[in-house]
Amino acid sequence: MRLALTEARAALATDDVPVGAVVLSPAGDVIGRGRNVREVEHDPTGHAEVVALREAAQALDSWRLTGCTLVVTLEPCTMCAGAAVLARVERIVFGAFDAKGGAVGSLWDVVRDRRLNHRPEVVSGVAAGESAALLEEFFAHHRPI
């Protein structure tokens, strides 16, 4: 999670929402890193998870990320949760819950839908306070009350 938090902080340099992600190989090696790049790349799919999953797939030379773990600072949205399922990641580890858009238990639970052919294990709340504080500080400056 420390590496994902480092990626999240790096997103601040491009005025993107500070969300970071890493993908770990089955052996525990980092094979993908990502941070939100929607603003800098003008890409609606530029979420940290998608960036990290793409890099991991390139590293493995396969779209199947069987046995891999996706670690992300914020609960994945529907797009990112779906991408993790389609990539066949074994586990999703996330920090802060996202009550407004989370799709791994908060608002929806895409990854545990029994109708899907793959359901990753979920570990939530890892470094949740630090992840949430980073987001709260960002939004305090971008959406003042």
Side-chain angles (χ1 to χ4, degrees):
M1 186 59 79
R2 295 279 161 235
L3 293 173
L5 282 162
T6 298
E7 289 295 324
R9 287 185 197 94
L12 294 169
T14 58
D15 210 29
D16 273 287
V17 175
V19 177
V22 294
V23 176
L24 305 174
S25 74
D29 300 316
V30 176
I31 57 172
R33 296 174 189 259
R35 60 181 159 267
N36 277 2
V37 293
R38 292 187 309 168
E39 298 297 332
V40 70
E41 294 186 7
H42 312 291
D43 179 0
T45 68
H47 288 205
E49 301 94 322
V50 171
V51 174
L53 290 169
R54 285 178 180 155
E55 188 173 293
Q58 291 300 310
L60 295 180
D61 198 27
S62 174
W63 62 267
R64 289 178 186 88
L65 302 180
T66 307
C68 293
T69 299
L70 171 64
V71 180
V72 60
T73 58
L74 179 66
E75 179 182 1
C77 68
T78 53
M79 175 182 69
C80 295
V85 168
L86 292 173
R88 312 290 199 278
V89 299
E90 183 173 323
R91 181 178 307 101
I92 298 171
V93 176
F94 71 87
F97 284 88
D98 183 357
K100 293 182 180 180
V104 185
S106 288
L107 191 56
W108 296 286
D109 202 349
V110 171
V111 300
R112 293 184 191 105
D113 190 319
R114 294 194 179 279
R115 296 169 293 183
L116 297 175
N117 65 338
H118 178 74
R119 289 180 296 282
E121 173 190 354
V122 175
V123 178
S124 59
V126 177
E130 192 173 348
S131 298
L134 190 58
L135 290 161
E136 288 167 7
E137 183 178 337
F138 175 82
F139 285 115
H141 293 24
H142 285 76
R143 295 182 186 158
I145 296 174

